[in-house]
Amino acid sequence: MPFYTFNCISNQMKEGNAEIHILSDGHFTLDGGAFFGIVPKVFWSRYIQPDEDNRVKLALNVPLIRTPEWSALIDSGIGNNLDEKFAKIFKVDKRENLLEQINVFTEPDEIGFIVHSHLHFDHMGHSFEKREDSPVFRNARLIAQEEEFSNMKNTNELTRSSYPGKNAIQYRGGRKPVNGSVKIKDGLRVIKTGGHTSGHQVVLFEGEKKIMYFGDLVPTTFHLRLPYVTAIDTFPLDSLKMKKKLIQKAIDEKYICIFNHDLEIKAAYLSGEASNVKVEPVDMD
């Protein structure tokens, strides 16, 4: 069971080390045109080979942050409540399962927060799951932009296939809507970006080492190129604007960047300029 781990120290923690583990909830596939948008297939197919139906295999990388005071997940993968039709369409591979990997380090009951970059089906699958009529993460506060909770509840013809359906919002006891760029806990904060969805946010954990989780603003290292946004982005010009700012911030302030859908490079330092990024993978073995 592969996972990636490194230690960092929070500036505001009183004692002990914070741990960050990049776990996996398996893999799924998405149409190459949807994932790579305006990028010609002749370019993106050099990065990742599509299958016979033009679908590309994507990782489901989920960071787990543990401190002596609190534990949090950043997104929660695709989940286990997958009907046969859905699993077939997206070729879901669950040989790696987030819940099993969490149990290596802690228990689901110890997770105090799940901070969602957004609420598409591949980012919140475990958050609303139930086990014996109780949420799997029964003590977790589900954090997302208030606008994103609204997006999930009020879909339209364009967004309906990306959100998991109204059944997923029946459990509301742990919801914590936030508005804008805010602090969640000491060292943990979000920056509202919009772009991919109107309520999309990037998650930062800042200590001796700084972590930036891009969500689907930059889902893979291939998408570090500024104009490369997915065809699913509902506000692509907002994506472009925020990519410029946050990629440059990651370069200037030496963040370790985490890419949630990258099969090969889960985390890396960035260097150069936002318009011409160099990637330095982080060895977490």
Side-chain angles (χ1 to χ4, degrees), residues 101-121:
Q101 296 194 8
I102 286 173
N103 284 327
V104 174
F105 305 103
T106 185
E107 298 178 354
D109 286 355
E110 298 300 317
I111 303 297
F113 306 91
I114 304 177
V115 186
H116 299 90
S117 60
H118 61 302
L119 294 170
H120 282 174
F121 65 82

Side-chain angles (χ1 to χ4, degrees), residues 3 22 42 49 53-54 68-69 102-103 107 124 147 154 157 167 170 186 200 240 250 258 260 267 284:
F3 57 82
I22 303 182
V42 68
Q49 285 293 319
D53 296 315
N54 204 48
E69 288 80 25
I102 286 173
N103 284 327
E107 298 178 354
M124 47 66 68
E147 190 170 3
N154 302 296
E157 292 82 0
N167 290 336
Q170 296 305 309
D186 288 348
H200 188 279
L240 175 61
I258 296 176
N260 59 282
M284 299 182 184

Side-chain angles (χ1 to χ4, degrees), residues 14-282:
K14 295 180 179 179
E15 59 183 11
N17 287 345
E19 300 174 358
I20 297 180
H21 306 277
I22 303 182
L23 310 182
S24 172
D25 199 37
H27 302 84
F28 75 117
T29 66
L30 202 62
D31 179 78
F35 192 60
F36 292 107
I38 65 170
V39 184
K41 184 177 179 179
V42 68
F43 293 149
W44 65 253
S45 61
R46 298 172 187 169
Y47 168 76
I48 185 170
Q49 285 293 319
D51 67 11
E52 64 277 7
D53 296 315
N54 204 48
R55 293 177 293 190
V56 293
K57 183 178 179 180
L58 304 178
L60 293 161
N61 302 320
V62 180
L64 166 66
I65 303 174
R66 298 181 65 220
T67 80
E69 288 80 25
W70 52 268
S71 296
L73 287 176
I74 311 302
D75 285 337
S76 66
I78 204 165
N80 293 325
N81 291 344
L82 309 172
D83 63 45
E84 184 177 350
K85 180 180 179 181
F86 180 96
K88 183 177 180 180
I89 290 172
F90 293 101
K91 279 191 175 180
V92 178
D93 181 349
K94 293 289 295 183
R95 282 175 288 182
E96 295 175 334
N97 189 286
L98 179 65
L99 298 183
E100 294 176 0
Q101 296 194 8
I102 286 173
N103 284 327
V104 174
F105 305 103
T106 185
E107 298 178 354
D109 286 355
E110 298 300 317
I111 303 297
F113 306 91
I114 304 177
V115 186
H116 299 90
S117 60
H118 61 302
L119 294 170
H120 282 174
F121 65 82
D122 52 317
H123 292 261
M124 47 66 68
H126 287 286
S127 299
F128 294 89
E129 281 184 351
K130 291 187 177 182
R131 178 178 55 194
E132 298 179 353
D133 295 326
S134 295
V136 170
F137 297 104
R138 59 183 178 178
N139 296 319
R141 304 290 297 277
L142 309 184
I143 298 171
Q145 291 289 320
E146 184 171 24
E147 190 170 3
E148 190 65 6
F149 280 114
S150 177
N151 288 341
M152 186 171 73
K153 182 178 180 181
N154 302 296
T155 58
N156 57 41
E157 292 82 0
L158 183 63
T159 65
R160 190 169 296 135
S161 62
S162 296
Y163 288 100
K166 294 185 178 181
N167 290 336
I169 62 171
Q170 296 305 309
Y171 165 61
R172 299 186 178 185
R175 288 201 321 167
K176 181 177 175 56
V178 297
N179 288 286
S181 302
V182 299
K183 172 184 171 181
I184 306 300
K185 294 290 288 184
D186 288 348
L188 182 65
R189 64 188 179 100
V190 298
I191 296 176
K192 184 180 180 183
T193 64
H196 186 66
T197 71
S198 62
H200 188 279
Q201 59 188 8
V202 161
V203 185
L204 306 181
F205 181 67
E206 297 169 327
E208 181 179 338
K209 293 189 181 294
K210 299 179 178 181
I211 309 302
M212 183 179 294
Y213 176 83
F214 281 115
D216 275 355
L217 189 71
V218 187
T220 72
T221 53
F222 185 86
H223 291 86
L224 285 166
R225 298 162 180 83
L226 292 177
Y228 288 11
V229 299
T230 78
I232 304 167
D233 283 30
T234 48
F235 301 93
L237 293 181
D238 291 342
S239 294
L240 175 61
K241 176 182 176 180
M242 292 307 298
K243 282 178 71 173
K244 289 180 182 179
K245 289 184 177 180
L246 290 175
I247 290 173
Q248 194 62 54
K249 179 180 178 68
I251 293 170
D252 293 342
E253 300 181 29
K254 301 187 185 307
Y255 280 84
I256 296 174
C257 299
I258 296 176
F259 305 95
N260 59 282
H261 289 316
D262 202 302
L263 292 169
E264 301 296 332
I265 301 177
K266 274 64 173 181
Y269 284 109
L270 307 181
S271 60
E273 300 292 333
S275 59
N276 185 24
V277 179
K278 297 178 181 178
V279 179
E280 304 170 21
V282 174

